[in-house]
Amino acid sequence: MKLRTILALVTAAVGLTTLNAQAQTTSQWEGSFEMRYATRYVFRGDKKAGQSMQANFEFNPITGQDGFFVGGWANQPFASEKDFEFDLYGGYKYHWQGFEFTGGLIGYFYPEADNDQTDYTYEVYVSAGREILENWGANVTAYYDIRTKDFTVEAATGYRIPFNIEQFPASIDFSLFVGNSNIRDQYPDTPGPDVKDNYSYYGVTVSASVWFTKHLRATVGVQYGDTTNRMSWSYGYNDGSDNLYGYAGIGLKW
């Protein structure tokens, strides 16, 4: 495993330890961590990289409560020509009349970017969602990227089928998302005129999870995502092919 990946995971572990210590002093947060292998890295219907290791940690208010949340996510592709990425995010959740409203900030960082490639960007977002029926929910989210001037609207819905495998709780989860992105400056660090794009994307995911204890679970899944009317870039990450991928991960929750 590359040195930068090890350093990123160590940094995440230190952050987890610190936040976990804080969480233990109050009952208002709950934490989670997942390590995942994915055959593709697909973001909003677009293939960014091939086989990758991914890590994610979050601290959220206890389910159903209002409050601040923070988290981080990282993707390390196996192929050397694709760059390491890590994201940091945070925000606030508020519940009202059965709805959950969320607002926050996401930072995207590409420490290996060179020349005129964008090495960071960040977006603000607001989201509203609710449970429609038992185990079935939906939400709508609006994102605005400050640097690329990208306005994205996404709608998603998901349904969960809970069951037991002997004494172990398990579930099968189905989700579907559709969105549209209107980008006014795709490469803000590249000289020359702004590169614009306006495209739609969609995807569907099926996954299965098993909880071995109340803190430890395993998940496997498959997702298909794609875009429509996306421009073909002569540089950058865009690759509209082979957007069917699988993943397997181990997660912790406390």
Side-chain angles (χ1 to χ4, degrees):
M1 185 177 293
K2 296 180 180 180
L3 178 60
R4 60 180 178 269
T5 306
I6 297 173
L7 291 175
L9 295 178
V10 169
T11 302
V14 171
L16 275 171
T17 302
T18 303
L19 290 173
N20 188 31
Q22 295 174 355
Q24 289 175 350
T25 64
T26 174
S27 61
Q28 296 180 352
W29 276 14
E30 56 187 15
S32 63
F33 176 80
E34 183 180 35
M35 181 67 72
R36 174 184 291 187
Y37 161 76
T39 61
R40 298 286 186 275
Y41 166 27
V42 179
F43 178 71
R44 294 178 184 167
D46 216 5
K47 177 186 172 185
K48 302 291 189 181
Q51 297 184 71
S52 301
M53 291 300 300
Q54 300 172 343
N56 177 236
F57 73 87
E58 287 187 0
F59 278 88
N60 285 285
I62 291 175
T63 302
Q65 293 189 9
D66 302 336
F68 290 97
F69 63 91
V70 293
W73 182 88
N75 186 84
Q76 175 60 68
F78 289 0
S80 59
E81 70 271 12
K82 295 295 185 179
D83 292 343
F84 171 65
E85 173 189 343
F86 73 91
D87 309 332
L88 299 174
Y89 56 89
Y92 190 84
K93 294 183 179 182
Y94 178 74
H95 296 81
W96 177 79
Q97 299 291 318
F99 286 89
E100 180 179 273
F101 298 95
T102 305
L105 175 69
I106 307 172
Y108 302 90
F109 302 92
Y110 312 95
E112 296 177 318
D114 54 16
N115 299 325
D116 296 322
Q117 292 180 336
T118 301
D119 56 1
Y120 80 95
T121 189
Y122 55 98
E123 62 184 10
V124 294
Y125 73 96
V126 292
S127 178
R130 69 168 299 157
E131 187 176 53
I132 300 172
L133 297 173
E134 185 177 6
N135 298 321
W136 177 35
N139 66 75
V140 177
T141 307
Y143 304 89
Y144 183 73
D145 191 300
I146 306 299
R147 302 200 68 221
T148 64
K149 302 175 185 177
D150 176 1
F151 180 65
T152 298
V153 177
E154 179 178 298
T157 184
Y159 183 71
R160 170 166 293 177
I161 302 176
F163 62 98
N164 283 17
I165 301 177
E166 296 185 350
Q167 74 271 29
F168 302 117
S171 68
I172 296 178
D173 296 88
F174 304 88
S175 64
L176 172 70
F177 62 88
V178 294
N180 180 265
S181 288
N182 184 0
I183 306 171
R184 290 185 289 164
D185 189 4
Q186 176 71 28
Y187 300 104
D189 296 323
T190 301
D194 294 347
V195 178
K196 305 178 188 296
D197 197 6
N198 190 333
Y199 69 95
S200 298
Y201 63 91
Y202 59 92
V204 59
T205 305
V206 181
S207 65
S209 299
V210 179
W211 287 91
F212 300 107
T213 72
K214 65 179 181 179
H215 301 294
L216 176 65
R217 68 173 169 82
T219 301
V220 295
V222 62
Q223 181 184 93
Y224 179 80
D226 207 351
T227 63
T228 59
N229 300 319
R230 185 79 194 267
M231 291 179 61
S232 296
W233 306 114
S234 59
Y235 52 95
Y237 282 121
N238 183 60
D239 179 354
S241 64
D242 198 12
N243 289 355
L244 176 67
Y245 77 100
Y247 60 88
I250 296 292
L252 298 172
K253 185 174 182 181
W254 59 92

